[in-house]
Amino acid sequence: MPVFYGTEIASALMLGTAQYPSPADLAEAFRRSGAGIATVSLRREAAGGDGSGFWDIIRRLGVRVLPNTAGCYSAAEAVTTAQMAREMFDTDWIKLEVIGHADTLQPDPFGLVEAAAILSADGFRVFPYTTEDGILAARLLEAGCEVLMPWGAPIGTGRGLNNIYGLRTLRAQFPDVPMVIDAGLGLPSQAAQAIEMGFDAVLLNTAVARAGDPPAMAEAFARAVEAGRMARAADPMEPRDMAAPSTPQIGLAMLA
C-alpha cells in the first residue's frame, strides 16, 4: 500500500468529492471503492453557506482528507487557500494546484515551485499537481515535496495516460519518490496501466462522479487498481519486437 509522508494508506485509489449526483452516491462510491483518501476543495466546501452539511458527509466517509487548492492561478492565492484549508480541515496535508492555463488546466511550473517552497517551510506536507516534466519534478523535491502527482491528461478529459514515454521516464528518474497519477483518467483499464507502470496510486474524480452509476464505477476502479498492483508484483514480461512461439519447436513432425 502507498506511504505518503510516513503514513500508510489503505488503498492505492484516491477519489475526489465533487460533481456526484447526490450525497448518497458519494458515500456509496467511497464505500464500494475502499478509497483511502478523499480530496476536498475549500471552495467546494464553502460554496453551500457554512458548508457544515458537506463537511459532515466527508467526516462520515472515515477516510483521510486531502484538501486542495483547486482554482488557484497564482502562488499567493494557493498559499492563502492552503492556510485556510489547514484551519478548516485540521490537517497539514495539502494537494497543491497552481493553474497556468484556463483551457488545459495545466499547472504553472513557476508558481507551483514558489508555492511549494513557501508551504513546505510553513510545515505543510505538499502533494503537488504537476506534469511529467523531470526538471520540474526535481525543483519540487528541492522545494520540500516528498510526493509528486503528475497528470495523466488534462483534468476531466478522460483521455488516460497521454504521454506514456514521459511518465515512464519520470518514474524511472525518481524511483524512490511516491507518485500518484492525478487527473485525466477515464477508464479503470487506464488506472490499472498506471499502477502496472510503477505509480503508487491514482487520483480521479470525474470518471466516477459523472458515470451513469458512480458507485459501480468506483468499485470497477478499485478492482482495476488491485489488478494493476498484482500484475506489477508478478514481474510482467517486457514487450518484444519479434514474435516468439509459445509452443516448443522440438518434436514437430518432419516431412520428407
Side-chain angles (χ1 to χ4, degrees):
M1 293 297 103
V3 176
F4 303 131
Y5 290 102
T7 299
E8 185 176 57
I9 305 301
S11 170
L13 178 62
M14 305 160 63
L15 288 180
T17 55
Q19 304 184 63
Y20 288 83
S22 71
D25 282 317
L26 168 62
E28 185 65 5
F30 271 86
R31 186 190 71 79
R32 290 179 60 174
S33 70
I37 290 179
T39 60
V40 295
S41 170
L42 179 66
R43 293 167 185 247
R44 166 65 178 85
E45 197 279 341
D50 62 5
S52 59
F54 177 74
W55 186 215
D56 286 343
I57 294 170
I58 300 303
R59 284 195 184 98
R60 289 196 294 269
L61 296 178
V63 299
R64 182 89 188 214
V65 173
L66 177 62
N68 64 44
T69 63
C72 292
Y73 282 80
S74 70
E77 187 180 11
V79 168
T80 300
T81 301
Q83 292 168 339
M84 294 171 63
R86 180 167 59 183
E87 294 183 13
M88 180 168 291
F89 297 109
D90 191 26
T91 178
D92 57 4
W93 282 22
I94 191 72
K95 180 193 168 190
L96 177 61
E97 296 184 28
V98 181
I99 302 302
H101 193 279
D103 290 333
T104 64
L105 301 181
Q106 180 172 337
D108 171 2
F110 307 102
L112 187 63
V113 171
E114 179 185 352
I118 294 171
L119 291 172
S120 295
D122 192 26
F124 281 90
R125 308 297 180 94
V126 180
F127 294 68
Y129 165 61
T130 182
T131 67
E132 66 274 21
D133 187 313
I135 303 302
L136 174 54
R139 298 294 180 267
L140 289 168
L141 296 174
E142 292 170 1
C145 300
E146 297 180 16
V147 177
L148 296 173
M149 302 183 77
W151 65 351
I155 295 171
T157 61
R159 299 184 63 87
L161 306 178
N162 264 357
N163 185 355
I164 297 292
Y165 172 78
L167 289 170
R168 287 191 187 278
T169 301
L170 181 68
R171 178 68 282 182
Q173 187 175 353
F174 303 99
D176 299 323
V177 176
M179 291 191 194
V180 181
I181 292 293
D182 176 17
L185 299 182
L187 293 171
S189 57
Q190 297 162 354
Q193 182 183 20
I195 301 298
E196 288 169 357
M197 288 168 58
F199 289 91
D200 299 273
V202 296
L203 169 58
L204 53 122
N205 189 162
T206 308
V208 167
R210 305 301 292 177
D213 186 341
M217 186 61 78
E219 182 176 345
F221 268 98
R223 295 187 183 193
V225 165
E226 179 61 16
R229 186 193 65 78
M230 293 177 67
R232 178 72 178 178
D235 190 17
M237 65 174 284
E238 293 294 328
R240 294 185 289 220
D241 292 329
M242 300 296 291
S246 57
T247 302
Q249 299 293 309
I250 299 175
L252 288 178
M254 300 297 292
L255 302 178

